[in-house]
Amino acid sequence: MNGIRMVETPTAQPPFYLPQADECEIFAAAHGNRLPLLLKGPTGCGKTRFVSHMAARLGRPLYTVACHDDLSAADLIGRYLLKGGETVWVDGPLTRAVREGAICYLDEVVEARKDVTVVLHPLTDDRRILPVDRTGEELAAAPGFMLVASYNPGYQNILKTLKPSTRQRFLAVEFGFPKPEHEVPVVARESGLAEARVQPLVRLANKLRGLKGQDLEEGVSTRLVVYAATLINGGMPVERAVLAAMIEPLTDDEEVRRGLLDLVVAIMG
Ligand code: ADP
């Protein structure tokens, strides 16, 4: 089936997530009140981890779909497939989540084709139904079902934006890059590198984020800081790790790259 998807079943120990503010309470309240939730924010700032953590805390299975510009409603709902000479109906991840009362997370929902939003509308109001045209079914979402979507306002262009008629169906929470007092322990925990050695990496990350819009399209993500720290913890020299994890992924422009390297030397010594 088209579209990367991942299924997670709840585990006794939810994956580690350090809250930035009251997002866990908002998520739990949205789930308890059967309301859909939109997570806004840049890539790599913890949205996917947050959803896995909350799904595990609430004891719900999680279906994650990474949306892309070829993803259609049929990829989410399901389709007839030929199996051993027979045509059988196979539920897509959204249909499975609706039937099972699971959480369905549509990552980067604006990337998906337009017909996807049409499917979401009856699911995101108080009807909570999913019409499956191909099979003639109209499924009522099982208790526990929740739709969560994310999008990155930074990537927006006129063609790819959520229409008000869609976004005004969701509660929304804004995610930003974590404050240093949150990011340092997160990176240390994820990489195994001591907090004292993570600190300069986080300082550098924040300087690089300050360049967004001037030289850089997007600030360095927490994910990349975790990568750098992981390499350093494995014994790689700091400068090499920073170049591979926090500079090269950000730019292909030689001049910008050189400028960023100067910044590394100035901050990390
Ligand atoms: P997004 O979905 O926003 O692109 P992810 O959830 O994949 O980002 O986050 C990238 C990585 O950053 C995670 O795998 C995790 O290591 C780390 N991370 C970021 N924020 C947090 C946080 N608040 N708590 C725990 N880990 C975090």
Side-chain angles (χ1 to χ4, degrees), residues 102-166:
I103 294 174
C104 184
Y105 176 43
L106 304 179
D107 191 10
E108 291 296 341
V109 69
V110 279
E111 295 294 329
R113 288 210 217 157
K114 289 231 163 52
D115 62 343
V116 165
T117 43
V118 177
V119 167
L120 301 184
H121 282 194
L123 257 185
T124 47
D125 56 34
D126 52 12
R127 290 173 288 168
R128 286 181 36 112
I129 52 163
L130 177 67
V132 184
D133 294 342
R134 297 277 182 86
T135 62
E137 285 175 289
E138 193 166 84
L139 299 174
F145 169 78
M146 178 180 181
L147 185 70
V148 183
S150 75
Y151 91 114
N152 181 346
Y155 288 156
Q156 265 197 68
N157 62 39
I158 313 153
L159 293 173
K160 280 196 174 148
T161 181
L162 273 185
K163 284 192 300 183
S165 58
T166 304

Side-chain angles (χ1 to χ4, degrees), residues 16-18 42-49 186 190 222-223 226:
F16 165 67
Y17 177 75
L18 185 71
T43 182
C45 67
K47 299 184 294 298
T48 305
R49 176 64 66 87
V186 163
E190 293 286 306
T222 301
R223 181 187 296 122
V226 171

